[in-house]
Amino acid sequence: MSRKLTRRAALKWLGAGAAFAGLSQVDNRNELTVERHRLGLPRWTADGFKVALLTDLHMDSKSKADRAVRAARMASDERPDVLLLGGDLASTSRPDSVRECHRGLQEILDLGIPTFAVLGNHEYDVRDAKGLISGLQARLQGPRSRLLRNETVEIGGVTVAGVDDGIANRDDHTFLKTGMDKNVLCLFHEPDFVERIDRRASLMLAGHSHGGQVCLPFGVPVHTPRGAKTFIRGYYRQAPVPLYVARGVGTVGPGIRVFCPPEVTILTLMGA
């Protein structure tokens, strides 16, 4: 009996290995794509404000950090008013990985774009979450950068409201002040939690889904994680708050992307 089970297990693993090898032939994890959109928003008067959005950088190795920096340089070429990092900057607290993450993050900050970030579920789901997060917070504590944890920052007549992670139950939605009822961008990692967002927000920006990361032809995702089952990629004008979900830059799990290239998001925002 055990011999039969062993054979079955071997065949299963051989099949999985063959499937992975086949998928790796169409891997497009390094094919960074600039997605440019012009969105008409409710409660918006800062016409022409341009946002660069990068999510799910997962800068856990030199190659991943280099890809993130390349994505940021592509975003910089678009001359955005602000660069927003939508969580999952890192997904391990191993010292060598943290060094690469900090190195990549510093190179992004050196581009000189006002840069604001939130945390995702992966920063909380590591062995030393406290150390990883405090390091990111220190790195982003500059005159033109900040890690937002249920707090706001003002730039060019626009309020950026950064919400802490939803899966980790660190999100709070009571921090918008009286009078913040227009030109509000909400940065929140998990798109399916859009119903929690203060309705004064003009737009929510999210990632987390990776667009599926491994997809069938025409971008149909094989799997998406909790928090990204309903809203997976692109613009959802009819969501409880208008919502844009980026496919992200990095990878988790199998280090490949199939029919789902990484995304540099450029949004030019106008009144509806």
Side-chain angles (χ1 to χ4, degrees):
M1 189 72 169
S2 61
R3 187 176 173 186
K4 189 178 288 187
L5 287 172
T6 302
R7 247 184 224 157
R8 279 183 191 163
L11 288 170
K12 180 180 177 182
W13 283 109
L14 282 170
F20 184 82
L23 289 174
S24 67
Q25 299 305 306
V26 290
D27 177 18
N28 50 26
R29 66 185 143 170
N30 290 315
E31 297 171 13
L32 283 160
T33 302
V34 179
E35 297 283 357
R36 300 178 186 87
H37 301 277
R38 188 180 183 93
L39 305 183
L41 302 175
R43 297 174 299 283
W44 191 267
T45 60
D47 286 358
F49 189 85
K50 187 182 287 189
V51 176
L53 172 66
L54 301 177
T55 74
D56 304 277
L57 300 178
H58 295 286
M59 295 184 285
D60 302 326
S61 66
K62 183 181 186 305
S63 62
K64 289 184 175 184
D66 287 347
R67 186 188 306 129
V69 172
R70 185 159 64 93
R73 287 175 179 157
M74 291 170 70
S76 178
D77 289 342
E78 301 287 327
R79 301 174 66 88
D81 295 294
V82 67
L83 172 61
L84 300 181
L85 306 179
D88 284 1
L89 301 173
S91 44
T92 174
S93 56
R94 293 194 311 268
D96 57 330
S97 296
V98 171
R99 281 194 296 273
E100 284 300 332
C101 178
H102 285 192
R103 191 262 305 173
L105 187 54
Q106 188 58 55
E107 289 191 37
I108 291 170
L109 295 175
D110 287 345
L111 293 171
I113 312 167
T115 301
F116 306 104
V118 294
L119 298 171
N121 58 301
H122 277 279
E123 282 95 355
Y124 284 102
D125 191 26
V126 298
R127 185 184 296 274
D128 182 17
K130 185 176 180 181
L132 175 63
I133 292 169
S134 65
L136 292 173
Q137 195 151 26
R139 183 71 58 172
L140 283 158
Q141 198 67 37
R144 289 160 61 86
S145 63
R146 194 165 158 197
L147 179 64
L148 300 174
R149 304 179 72 182
N150 302 321
E151 52 193 328
T152 64
V153 66
E154 301 290 324
I155 177 167
V158 171
T159 299
V160 177
V163 182
D164 211 342
D165 187 64
I167 286 179
N169 294 315
R170 302 303 180 103
D171 57 315
D172 179 89
H173 304 275
T174 62
F175 61 91
L176 286 185
K177 299 173 184 175
T178 302
M180 291 181 177
D181 54 3
K182 65 179 180 181
N183 300 337
V184 176
L185 296 177
C186 181
L187 187 61
F188 188 20
H189 185 62
E190 291 94 0
D192 283 359
F193 298 155
V194 63
E195 74 278 355
R196 303 182 187 179
I197 295 299
D198 192 306
R199 296 302 190 265
R200 288 177 289 172
S202 300
L203 177 69
M204 174 177 154
L205 301 167
H208 183 57
S209 69
H210 292 212
Q213 188 172 309
V214 175
C215 295
L216 303 175
F218 308 107
V220 178
V222 173
H223 169 78
T224 56
R226 175 192 167 208
K229 298 293 186 184
T230 302
F231 302 105
I232 297 169
R233 62 203 293 180
Y235 184 47
Y236 298 89
R237 185 171 61 88
Q238 300 299 337
V241 167
L243 167 66
Y244 189 91
V245 186
R247 296 190 304 269
V249 173
T251 60
V252 290
I256 62 173
R257 280 179 173 267
V258 179
F259 298 116
C260 187
E263 174 176 346
V264 176
T265 312
I266 304 295
L267 304 176
T268 302
L269 307 180
M270 310 294 291

